[in-house]
Amino acid sequence: MIEINHVNKWYGPTFQALKDCTTKVAKGEVVVVCGPSGSGKSTLIKCVNALEPIQEGEIILDGIKVNDPKTDLPKLRARVGMVFQHFELFPHLKIIENLCLGQEKVLGRSHDEAMAKGAKLLDRVGLKDHANKYPAELSGGQQQRVAIARALAMDPIAMLFDEPTSALDPEMISEVLDVMVDLAREGMTMMVVTHEMGFARKVAHRVIFMDQGEIVEDAQKDDFFGKPRSDRAQKFLSKILSH
Amino acid sequence: MFANFDFDVIRRSLGYLFLDGMAFTLTLTGLSALGGIIFGTLIALMRLSGFKVLGRIAGLYVDFMRSLPLVLVIFWFYFLVPYVGQWLTGASRPISVGAFTSALVTFIMFEAAYFSEIMRAGIQSISKGQPAAANALGMTYAQTMRYVVLPQAFRNMLPVLLTQTIVLFQDTSLVYVLSMPDFLGAASKVAQRDGRLVEMYLFAAVVYFTISCAASFGVRRLQARISIVR
């Protein structure tokens, strides 16, 4: 589904954010990407739907080369859902309008169809009573659940999560993770940048550990938590699992 | 000290002053603001676009307009627009566009330079995550701007845009140099006809002051309301 081959990326002339990154995510697979801050994990996931350009290598999404100048990027992005650290709901639109905008303007669905789909997804994330509120009236956890519903409304073939719980108060993290766990169990293809190792243990198939722009470890979940091969991954795990 | 003044001249000419003069001024202000904001937004988008050439052209335009006195621009446009019309349509002689059209085009082009800077600040005030989220949904650049960025930028900047429109309202009095019948022009005509310069210019000042002051007060209240909603 997602293939990342020998990707190199620089910010400016000197700072290399990604160094020869290669990995892939198969259909129905849940891959968690972790690593210390500044390791390039967010950058990597943003490259997958070309929100960030890459300078070398290639990324192939469902058979289409993302970094080909001839690729119709809006069309490709419409097929991949993305959830951001800071939710990025559209503050000037009501919750239900947030869910309808992409469906109507990008997919060309009728207003009624979009509303029905939006209402169904709001119900699914447990927020159907909030359809006519504005994002600022909701808590962080609720906003992030709306953001997930907004992405799902486009009927994506895969979902990208960029630190979806990092900006949340601790008591709100589980309500978002619950939605993500359900999604994973339904067989959604997911690439998730997160520090939530509990989530990784529960539903991930593979875990990727990044440090300083490199993919240091790319292992099956049990191998990763059981016996990480690299020192850096071991150190990272011991730091975040010890308390 | 007012013994020699005849303030009744104001009462006698109220109909002409407001129904003709003020109506003209408000029409010119409204249309100029509308056109200036639309054109200014386009200039702002050019400046913020990734294309260096477009950005430079827009930047030069803004600097150029802001470096000229408005009165001069009004004069020049009045003389130039007929020739530009001739050049565009290939007519054999300069096209007479009328003083109102000429003034309107002038104000739209001149004010667009100022409105564009306001809209540029407004667009830059939107966090980069917003267009990223719109792009991630599959929206094109135009859709992202139209449905996500510009509505927010416009709302954030509404008080400043309205304040600039109040300045524009006062600036429209400069069409007086083309002897157009705006509010000041009308007051001036009555003043010259009846020899009541002091009365009429005093009254004109009071009217401009009152309207601008009231409008500014309205903008401040609007600002307070918007800041609560956000």
Side-chain angles (χ1 to χ4, degrees), chain A residues 11 16 24 38 42 45 53 56 71 74 78 81 105 116-117 136 148 153 160 172 181 191 198 206 217 236:
Chain A
Y11 282 118
Q16 189 168 5
K24 63 179 167 191
S42 280
I45 203 166
E56 284 171 15
T71 300
K105 304 302 174 194
K117 177 105 190 170
I148 295 173
L160 307 172
M172 292 170 185
V181 167
M191 188 166 173
R206 276 184 22 247
E217 190 131 354
F236 178 77

Side-chain angles (χ1 to χ4, degrees), chain A residues 212-228:
Chain A
Q212 297 180 354
E214 284 174 275
I215 292 179
V216 179
E217 190 131 354
D218 183 347
Q220 296 298 312
K221 171 182 65 179
D222 293 335
D223 293 343
F224 182 79
F225 287 112
K227 42 176 178 14

Side-chain angles (χ1 to χ4, degrees), chain A residues 171-191:
Chain A
E171 75 268 24
M172 292 170 185
I173 290 177
S174 65
E175 65 186 56
V176 171
L177 289 179
D178 286 347
V179 173
M180 291 168 61
V181 167
D182 286 347
L183 208 53
R185 294 204 166 132
E186 283 167 27
M188 175 63 80
T189 308
M190 290 162 70
M191 188 166 173

Side-chain angles (χ1 to χ4, degrees), chain A residues 202-219:
Chain A
K202 213 187 262 181
V203 294
H205 299 102
R206 276 184 22 247
V207 179
I208 292 172
F209 174 75
M210 290 184 71
D211 193 19
Q212 297 180 354
E214 284 174 275
I215 292 179
V216 179
E217 190 131 354
D218 183 347

Side-chain angles (χ1 to χ4, degrees), chain A residues 31-159:
Chain A
V31 173
V32 163
V33 184
C34 63
S37 51
S39 60
K41 53 195 191 304
S42 280
T43 304
L44 181 69
I45 203 166
K46 281 180 183 150
C47 291
V48 171
N49 63 353
L51 287 182
E52 289 283 352
I54 60 173
Q55 281 78 39
E56 284 171 15
E58 60 171 9
I59 296 178
I60 294 168
L61 196 59
D62 195 32
I64 298 162
K65 191 172 167 189
V66 174
N67 55 318
D68 183 339
K70 285 191 287 261
T71 300
D72 184 352
L73 277 181
K75 205 171 159 189
L76 188 66
R77 286 177 182 140
R79 300 175 61 209
V80 188
M82 183 149 197
V83 175
F84 297 83
Q85 182 176 4
H86 296 288
F87 331 133
E88 303 300 351
L89 296 179
F90 305 131
H92 59 302
L93 299 177
K94 290 177 180 168
I95 297 304
I96 189 71
E97 292 167 341
N98 265 276
L99 268 71
C100 289
L101 187 64
Q103 295 187 68
E104 289 176 34
K105 304 302 174 194
V106 177
L107 301 180
R109 288 182 185 153
S110 73
H111 183 63
D112 290 344
E113 200 183 347
M115 289 286 280
K117 177 105 190 170
K120 208 173 93 189
L121 284 164
L122 272 188
D123 190 25
R124 173 180 172 163
V125 298
L127 293 169
K128 70 168 177 216
D129 296 338
H130 301 275
N132 288 310
K133 290 187 180 170
Y134 284 93
E137 299 173 74
L138 268 54
S139 72
Q142 290 172 325
Q143 289 191 50
Q144 193 62 298
R145 282 187 280 156
V146 172
I148 295 173
R150 179 176 70 180
L152 291 176
M154 307 293 285
D155 289 324
I157 54 169
M159 289 280 286

Side-chain angles (χ1 to χ4, degrees), chain B residues 2-10 12-13 186-202:
Chain B
F2 290 116
N4 293 328
F5 295 138
D6 170 24
F7 285 97
D8 194 51
V9 66
I10 296 167
R12 288 196 306 268
S13 52
S188 165
K189 275 193 188 104
V190 174
Q192 317 261 350
R193 184 193 67 197
D194 296 359
R196 292 291 169 193
L197 299 176
V198 176
E199 293 90 331
M200 288 316 289
Y201 286 131
L202 198 60

